[in-house]
Amino acid sequence: MDFARRLPALVRPVVVGLAAALAGPALLATLPASPGVAATAVAPVAVPALPTVEGPIAGPGPMFPGIRPGAAGTNLEDFDYVSEEYFVSGIANGAPYKTRILVRHPAKARKFSGEVVAEPLHRGGNALTCQFAHYGIAQRGHGCLEIAARPINLNNGNSPTSSLQPFNPARYGDFQVSASQSNEIIAQVGRLIRSNLPSGPFAHFPVRNLVLTGSSDSSAATRSFMAGGHASYRMPDGRPIYQGYFVGSTLGAAPVEQTDVPTIQMPTQFEVNSTDAYRRPDSDVPGNQFRLYEVAGMAHNDSRENPAFPAGGCDHPLSQFPFGAMMFMGVQHLLDWVRDGTVPPHAAYLDVDDDLGDGTRVALDRYGNALGGVRTPYLEVPVSRYTVPNSGPGLCYQTGYQTPLPQATIKSLYRNPGQYVSKVHKSLHELVKQGWFPREYAGYVTGDAKAFLRQ
């Protein structure tokens, strides 16, 4: 391969990638770093094996759902989507494994965008990115891919609501996965999907781009792959298996791992309330394409459309902040960046004053709402205060709560209902145009404004 080092810079990645595709893993492990092939690789690189695939699986018994339903009319099935389960097995880290993947896509191939949003299954038993952003995903025709890549997905304290084997031992009883296999499983599944095999899980639905995502616990699994799998496993042509990363509700102070593909991180106001030490600058430099979107008013978990948080179950009225809309906004920016190089906008950080006297280290305006960060009409044209975090039993601390502004304040802001509606529409139009609010969710904003006027 000495000849490759002497090739012109623009030709070398193509020739090296073709040679790698012909020679396989042994050659890839010896390749020198080159632009567009393995810019961040510092360890031997391998092409992951293709797993054995069974499915679609029809039984025995019910399928673990892997997603909670949203409001009527917004769910994937309301947009004529199909969900199919496949079992995948093979050798990872030198040992056998068996687990499942779940794919969701439009029933008709002509409605499929070719973009697939993948994610490791959350320890709570849900594919949270697809769950939270399902309404926008469905309108764009994207596919979802859920990967049960960790032991906790198979059995989480014998909980049938959060893990596969307790839910249906007859169907999933022979599954086995170790923590040391997770990254290689994610790599094998990614290669499977990208390969567009005639008998693969997306057969007749050609996949153009595949991104890996996650929220909270599942974002940690995605970040683990970014750190330990992204540069180590590649497609046969030497290119990355996953072409972009989106991680939301990211806990901890460590900056997100740098890769050679576009990456968007979306911490919420909940995370900034604890620390902002994770911050690193936005970048458009090849090998470090990165955006950081801190969303004002957004809690760690969705309480608008999440049945895990019933009304009245927490200490304060649950926030109706459009969590799913903002998740979809970030995911769509990533897909656009990967698909055709559309560069996403830059966002200001949330303002921090470290004054804990008001209950948060995030700086607040005179209405009690966060300053800075990614904005929405809910905070730009306020009629409520969005406080993060909430409190109460269970996971209530992961939500936010919503308090109506005093009537005197409302009257000082808006002379009449017409002026309020006009300001909402103007803010919505500007934010959609700027890329900060997805047009698919515009009805949420106008519907909430009408509901406020009916009160």
Side-chain angles (χ1 to χ4, degrees):
M1 284 301 295
D2 287 343
F3 78 93
R5 295 185 175 88
R6 297 194 295 270
L7 290 171
L10 291 178
V11 177
R12 182 168 170 258
V14 177
V15 175
V16 170
L18 177 60
L22 296 174
L27 176 59
L28 274 179
T30 68
L31 288 179
S34 59
V37 177
T40 62
V42 294
V45 179
V47 176
L50 286 169
T52 299
V53 182
E54 305 171 59
I57 304 299
M63 181 183 77
F64 186 79
I67 196 170
R68 294 190 181 104
T74 71
N75 294 293
L76 295 178
E77 55 266 28
D78 297 322
F79 290 84
D80 196 26
Y81 266 60
V82 296
S83 299
E84 296 178 325
E85 181 182 64
Y86 294 83
F87 293 170
V88 293
S89 59
I91 302 296
N93 197 31
Y97 76 88
K98 183 178 181 180
T99 188
R100 79 126 182 213
I101 61 174
L102 200 155
V103 302
R104 309 176 196 272
H105 56 73
K108 297 178 180 179
R110 62 182 174 81
K111 293 187 176 181
F112 178 50
S113 70
E115 318 292 320
V116 175
V117 179
E119 58 189 305
L121 184 63
H122 187 278
R123 68 172 54 226
N126 297 289
L128 288 185
T129 305
C130 192
Q131 175 180 305
F132 292 147
H134 63 269
Y135 187 57
I137 285 173
Q139 292 182 75
R140 292 290 183 110
H142 304 327
C144 289
L145 169 67
E146 169 204 309
I147 311 169
R150 298 179 291 164
I152 200 165
N153 301 145
L154 307 191
N155 194 325
N156 184 356
N158 293 318
S159 168
T161 61
S162 61
S163 47
L164 298 166
Q165 290 172 333
F167 176 82
N168 186 344
R171 188 165 177 144
Y172 307 117
D174 64 344
F175 282 11
Q176 56 178 332
V177 169
S178 71
S180 64
Q181 295 176 305
S182 296
N183 282 346
E184 191 168 353
I185 292 171
I186 291 172
Q188 289 186 15
V189 170
R191 184 193 169 194
L192 170 69
I193 301 304
R194 289 280 309 282
S195 297
N196 281 313
L197 301 177
S199 58
F202 278 90
H204 312 299
F205 293 82
V207 175
R208 291 185 297 173
N209 295 301
L210 175 67
V211 299
L212 190 64
T213 71
S215 179
S216 188
D217 166 72
S218 55
S219 78
T222 294
R223 291 183 62 177
S224 176
F225 182 84
M226 293 168 68
H230 176 81
S232 299
Y233 300 106
R234 293 272 158 158
M235 295 296 293
D237 64 1
R239 298 186 182 277
I241 294 173
Y242 293 94
Q243 296 151 287
Y245 295 99
F246 172 86
V247 285
S249 296
T250 49
L251 296 174
V256 164
E257 295 70 19
Q258 181 176 327
T259 71
D260 59 352
V261 296
T263 299
I264 293 179
Q265 179 186 9
M266 184 177 284
T268 71
Q269 188 175 328
F270 177 94
E271 284 78 58
V272 183
N273 183 47
S274 300
T275 181
D276 56 15
Y278 56 77
R279 288 175 175 171
R280 69 179 176 91
D282 286 0
S283 173
D284 293 321
V285 176
N288 182 26
Q289 295 168 286
F290 178 74
R291 289 292 185 275
L292 182 67
Y293 291 162
E294 297 176 349
V295 183
M298 188 174 181
H300 182 81
N301 207 336
D302 181 24
S303 57
R304 180 180 180 120
E305 294 183 343
N306 193 339
F309 301 105
C314 299
D315 290 346
H316 305 284
L318 291 173
S319 172
Q320 296 301 292
F321 185 87
F323 188 105
M326 304 318 289
M327 284 282 287
F328 177 71
M329 178 271 292
V331 168
Q332 188 59 50
H333 275 312
L334 176 66
L335 292 173
D336 292 342
W337 207 357
V338 168
R339 185 188 66 249
D340 55 23
T342 300
V343 179
H346 297 274
Y349 294 148
L350 280 170
D351 292 352
V352 173
D353 60 14
D354 285 318
D355 176 12
L356 300 181
D358 55 11
T360 178
R361 65 188 296 270
V362 176
L364 305 178
D365 63 19
R366 55 181 171 168
Y367 311 114
N369 288 319
L371 291 165
V374 175
R375 310 301 293 178
T376 66
Y378 293 80
L379 273 68
E380 293 294 88
V381 189
V383 291
S384 294
R385 179 172 68 248
Y386 294 88
T387 303
V388 178
N390 205 332
S391 60
L395 299 179
C396 282
Y397 74 98
Q398 294 185 359
T399 71
Y401 63 96
Q402 185 171 332
T403 309
L405 296 180
Q407 281 300 312
T409 302
I410 298 293
K411 290 180 179 179
S412 70
L413 288 170
Y414 317 109
R415 293 191 304 271
N416 52 57
Q419 187 188 41
Y420 165 66
V421 171
S422 176
K423 287 188 174 183
V424 168
H425 286 165
K426 181 180 179 181
S427 174
L428 176 61
H429 176 76
E430 291 176 350
L431 291 169
V432 169
K433 183 178 179 180
Q434 295 165 8
W436 293 125
F437 202 88
R439 53 181 170 77
E440 290 81 2
Y441 291 80
Y444 280 44
V445 178
T446 56
D448 288 345
K450 292 176 181 178
F452 169 73
L453 295 178
R454 290 195 297 267
Q455 293 177 356

